[in-house]
Amino acid sequence: MSRNLIAILRGITPDEAVPICGALVEAGFDKIEVPLNSPQPLDSIGAMVNSFGERALIGAGTVLSTQDVAAVAGVGGKLIVSPNADPEVIAATKAAGLESWPGVLTPTECFAALKAGASGLKVFPGFAMGIDGLKAIRAVLPPETQVYMVGGVGPDGFAEWKAAGADGFGIGSALYKPGRSADEISAIAKEMVAAYDAAFS
């Protein structure tokens, strides 16, 4: 079962990449993002792809340039997530056959990202839009648009966000912080998957 949950592993190192990716996949996460401002992010992404690329959609976050897109594609990454909506980055991502999830907050950004070819929208920071803001923006977005909330969202709010129109979530520091062991992350991830399943079942 694929879930609309992206694990955001900001600060992960290549040594941690495979065991932590394994813990996440076993817990039920199959979308994994390594922000490019992490240590040696391309090494981590490449190692994860080599070990779990058949079982998970793995790629990069904080992708700000077309050069970054090419670098991620070069190590086998298939997911491109950005904090902003840059049409050039979206176009390069789609041209490379990768999934494009640009960061948006306003209606103008949402529609510009979709026009540029985004696979879906990453509302960031989610807490800034809020439940009422999401309800309002969903009323005007094409109904098939996939909307993920990122930033200030957690399992205790999954059901409320879903009711407002969220399709999924990106989870960062609530799940992974540098120094957390694979066992700790496994336990947290399993709780989050259970909360997601309860909200979306």
Side-chain angles (χ1 to χ4, degrees):
M1 172 182 174
S2 182
R3 297 173 179 88
N4 292 339
L5 291 170
I6 299 177
I8 303 168
L9 308 181
R10 190 177 307 279
I12 196 168
T13 65
D15 289 345
E16 300 173 286
V18 170
I20 285 175
C21 186
L24 289 166
V25 170
E26 291 303 320
F29 276 78
D30 63 359
K31 298 174 181 64
I32 296 169
E33 162 195 337
V34 177
L36 291 183
N37 54 3
S38 303
Q40 298 168 271
L42 296 173
D43 291 345
S44 293
I45 294 166
M48 290 178 178
V49 168
N50 287 338
S51 296
F52 297 100
E54 297 298 314
R55 298 173 62 188
L57 180 69
I58 297 164
T62 319
V63 178
L64 302 175
S65 71
T66 57
Q67 292 86 353
D68 288 342
V69 173
V72 174
V75 295
K78 295 182 178 175
L79 173 67
I80 297 293
V81 184
S82 301
N84 62 332
D86 183 328
E88 290 184 2
V89 170
I90 296 168
T93 300
K94 298 304 287 185
L98 314 184
E99 286 203 16
S100 169
W101 290 82
V104 297
L105 193 57
T106 67
T108 297
E109 291 169 346
C110 290
F111 282 98
L114 292 173
K115 185 177 181 179
S119 306
L121 303 177
K122 164 194 165 179
V123 174
F124 176 78
F127 64 80
M129 178 177 284
I131 295 288
D132 289 341
L134 176 59
K135 288 178 182 176
I137 213 160
R138 276 256 64 141
V140 297
L141 287 174
E144 69 276 9
T145 305
Q146 290 283 298
V147 178
Y148 284 30
M149 308 306 293
V150 181
V153 299
D156 54 341
F158 283 172
E160 190 177 12
W161 283 110
K162 176 184 182 287
D167 297 293
F169 308 95
I171 309 292
S173 58
L175 175 62
Y176 172 82
K177 289 179 181 173
R180 270 189 188 149
S181 70
D183 287 344
E184 288 176 286
I185 290 162
S186 174
I188 296 167
K190 286 174 182 174
E191 289 180 9
M192 291 186 172
V193 164
Y196 176 92
D197 288 351
F200 283 80
S201 60

